[in-house]
């Protein structure tokens, strides 16, 4: 398996190999002629030398990876069906996560988009909160006191009744959701709520446990607006637009900071929900 | 740490023959209890090599072993040495806390890819490094950074694999890595046997390219041959059947490694009685009196 190693980026090779291990279709693409912008010519030439059989030695690698996704987003998987969920492994979203040093579960949540309705977005919010909001890092600004939503909190505007529907669905999956999902790979006929609005807050505690509840429309919308770092003036303007009295807004922001809902940051990276979506 | 590694190695203790574990390993049915092994055959469990994934921490067995004041080494299971992002301060702080509890003689671990993407659930695996010169600099920098962060020697280990890419022989690669990072080495004899077999080499191919005076630790483990679509590969299953090629490597390595301080038998998922013959077979191959001086 020797190839001229000039101009090789070893990390690119390893990332390509990881995708090939999880996605036989990608391995075929590497061996084919279609353009793959994430791989340089030297890296691709090296990856082409791999005996395809060696990629399949661990027959359960992909299953284990899928299991982790299903454990975190079981209701979403029930709504779209396990077979559809597994198609994530053949998606550009998985490649982006691996080549971009991202989180597989978060990439799945982004790829899912609205396919599982507000319930899917709720489970995605839970996954983000568990990781302290650690999605794709972008949008940092240098200097100045900035404010952003706490990375431990995921605000969400979802269709009315989403939280209750989610809780019923989770109960329906039983004490061992993976077993239930394995036995029922087709999508559920029941669809999650799609009308109205519900304003949700998901918060990760210090021990990693999640708390979920509803908040006021204005609060949740304000926190959503603060997903990226913003100047205090911009946050104040959003608060006023959402109904706060101008003379109260400074105190309101201070109280949100005091309660840990907003955090101060100095050009720190922020989470973005920018992920490739399911086709 | 001052001086070159070949000066520093003199200060490393001889730990002798030891056994490995990782989080929860003994909780599986029939798995080896390291403390029971130490009670039954103290020379076979002179130290415990604790496999550590920081997010999991130490299990009760590893904690109890360390609390007893028995020797340990810290084997990381979650660091891509060539990715500076992996040595973020929050991880380093937790690793330091674990090291403080274990008081290991040194840190070691496979110099490979322990996770794809971010260090996150479901993303752990182990792939060997790409065996090209471009891999060496970043990995050496990671070894130096980890050594500084933990205040302990960091010994890179040759990982297992079913796919090895690059134009360097694995031993040539690790020789260059050790020189560049000015560190010692852990040679896993079973992993090396797998590499030589995958590449179609004899078990001792490339042996002369390794600076054996840097080899501080050896691993010995059983493996089994499995076949997938006609492709025969060795599964590094840590079973009780050590393959003949591995023994050839073990013997040649022991003969060359004049600064050898520790030999680990990796057999954590087997019943105690089944593991004793491997320990005995390794002990037979060690120099006369080498075990007697361990732990001093």
């Amino acid at each position: 398996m020797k190839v001229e190693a000039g101009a090789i980026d070893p990390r690119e090779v390893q990332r390509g190999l990881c995708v090939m291990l999880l996605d036989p279709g990608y391995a075929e693409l590497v061996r084919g002629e279609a353009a793959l912008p994430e791989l340089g010519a030297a890296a691709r030439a090296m990856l082409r030398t791999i005996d395809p059989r060696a990629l399949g030695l661990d027959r359960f690698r992909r299953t284990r990876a899928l299991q982790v996704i299903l454990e975190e987003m079981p209701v979403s998987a029930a709504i779209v069906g396990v077979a559809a969920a597994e198609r994530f492994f053949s998606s550009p979203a998985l490649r982006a996560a691996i080549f971009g040093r991202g989180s597989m579960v978060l990439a799945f949540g982004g790829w899912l988009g609205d396919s599982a309705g507000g319930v899917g977005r709720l489970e995605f919010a839970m996954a983000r909160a568990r990781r302290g909001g650690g999605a794709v890092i972008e949008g940092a600004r240098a200097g100045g006191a900035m404010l952003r939503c706490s990375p431990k909190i995921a605000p969400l505007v979802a269709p009315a009744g989403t939280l209750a529907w989610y809780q019923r669905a989770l109960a329906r999956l039983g004490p061992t959701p993976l077993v239930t999902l394995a036995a029922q790979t087709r999508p559920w006929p029941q669809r999650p709520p799609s009308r109205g609005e519900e304003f949700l807050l998901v918060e990760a505690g210090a021990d990693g446990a999640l708390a979920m509840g509803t908040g006021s429309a204005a609060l949740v919308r304000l926190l959503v607006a603060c997903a990226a770092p913003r100047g205090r003036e911009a946050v104040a303007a959003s608060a006023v637009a959402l109904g706060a009295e101008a003379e109260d807004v400074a105190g309101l922001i201070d109280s949100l900071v005091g309660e840990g809902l907003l955090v101060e940051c100095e050009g720190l990276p922020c989470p973005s929900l920018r992920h490739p979506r399911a086709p | 740490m001052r001086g070159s590694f070949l000066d520093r190695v003199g200060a490393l203790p001889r730990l002798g023959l030891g056994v490995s574990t990782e989080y929860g390993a003994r909780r599986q049915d029939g798995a080896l209890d390291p403390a029971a092994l130490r009670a039954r055959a103290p020379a076979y469990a002179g130290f415990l090599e604790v496999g550590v994934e920081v997010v999991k921490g130490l299990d009760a067995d590893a904690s109890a072993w360390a609390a007893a004041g028995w020797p340990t080494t810290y084997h990381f299971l979650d660091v891509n040495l060539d990715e500076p992002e992996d040595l973020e301060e929050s991880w380093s702080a937790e690793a330091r806390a674990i090291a403080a509890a274990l008081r290991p003689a040194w840190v070691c671990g496979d110099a490979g890819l322990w996770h794809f993407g971010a260090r996150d659930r479901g993303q752990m695996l182990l792939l060997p490094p790409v065996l090209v010169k471009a891999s060496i600099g970043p990995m050496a920098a990671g070894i130096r950074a980890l050594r500084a962060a933990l205040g302990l020697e960091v010994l890179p280990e040759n990982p297992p694999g079913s796919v090895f890419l690059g134009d360097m022989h694995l031993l040539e690669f690790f020789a260059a890595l050790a020189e560049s990072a000015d560190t010692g080495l852990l040679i896993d004899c079973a992993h090396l046997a797998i590499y030589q077999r995958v590449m179609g080499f004899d078990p001792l191919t490339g042996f002369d390219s390794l600076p054996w005076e840097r080899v501080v630790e050896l691993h010995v483990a059983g493996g089994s041959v499995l076949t997938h679509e006609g492709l025969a590969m060795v599964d590094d299953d840590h079973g009780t059947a050590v393959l003949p090629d591995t023994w050839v490597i073990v013997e040649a390595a022991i003969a060359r490694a004049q600064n050898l301080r520790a030999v680990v038998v990796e057999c954590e998922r087997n019943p105690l009685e089944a593991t004793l013959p491997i320990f005995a077979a390794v002990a037979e191959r060690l120099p006369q009196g080498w075990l007697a001086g361990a732990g001093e």
Side-chain angles (χ1 to χ4, degrees), chain A residues 52-64:
Chain A
R53 297 174 299 173
L55 298 172
L57 282 166
D58 182 350
R59 291 181 296 136
F60 301 109
R61 187 189 301 276
R62 179 156 153 169
T63 303
R64 290 195 302 274

Side-chain angles (χ1 to χ4, degrees), chain A residues 1-2 5 10-11 13-14 18 22 46 49-50 53-54 56-57 61 68 71-72 98 101-104 131, chain B residues 83 85-86 113 116-118 120-123 125 128 130 132 135 162 164-165 167 226 228-231 233:
Chain A
M1 295 185 186
K2 287 192 175 181
R11 288 174 69 166
V13 173
Q14 283 190 312
C18 288
L22 288 166
M46 187 172 273
T49 65
I50 298 171
R53 297 174 299 173
L57 282 166
R61 187 189 301 276
V68 170
E71 283 171 356
E72 286 215 48
I98 291 177
R101 207 174 187 276
S103 159
M104 179 179 69
R131 289 164 178 77
Chain B
E83 295 186 5
E85 305 95 319
D86 258 20
L113 191 79
F116 64 82
D120 198 3
R121 288 187 66 224
Q123 297 181 208
L125 78 172
V130 179
V132 295
S135 297
S162 56
F164 292 90
L165 299 169
D167 59 353
L226 58 84
H228 174 69
E229 296 179 359
L231 180 67
M233 302 290 282

Side-chain angles (χ1 to χ4, degrees), chain A residues 42-112:
Chain A
R44 187 170 184 177
M46 187 172 273
L47 291 168
R48 281 175 192 253
T49 65
I50 298 171
D51 184 331
R53 297 174 299 173
L55 298 172
L57 282 166
D58 182 350
R59 291 181 296 136
F60 301 109
R61 187 189 301 276
R62 179 156 153 169
T63 303
R64 290 195 302 274
L66 178 63
Q67 178 179 332
V68 170
I69 290 172
L70 299 185
E71 283 171 356
E72 286 215 48
M73 303 189 65
V75 180
S76 302
I79 291 170
V80 301
V82 173
E86 190 172 358
R87 285 200 282 274
F88 163 71
F89 290 99
S90 303
S91 74
L94 175 75
R95 292 177 221 165
I98 291 177
F99 278 90
R101 207 174 187 276
S103 159
M104 179 179 69
V105 172
L106 293 182
F108 175 80
W111 172 79
L112 203 57

Side-chain angles (χ1 to χ4, degrees), chain A residues 242-256:
Chain A
L242 288 166
E245 297 293 339
E247 60 269 28
D248 298 336
V249 78
L252 171 67
I253 291 173
D254 287 342
S255 70
L256 292 176

Side-chain angles (χ1 to χ4, degrees), chain A residues 227-244:
Chain A
R230 304 178 71 196
R232 181 172 280 261
E233 297 77 11
V235 176
S238 291
V240 169
L242 288 166

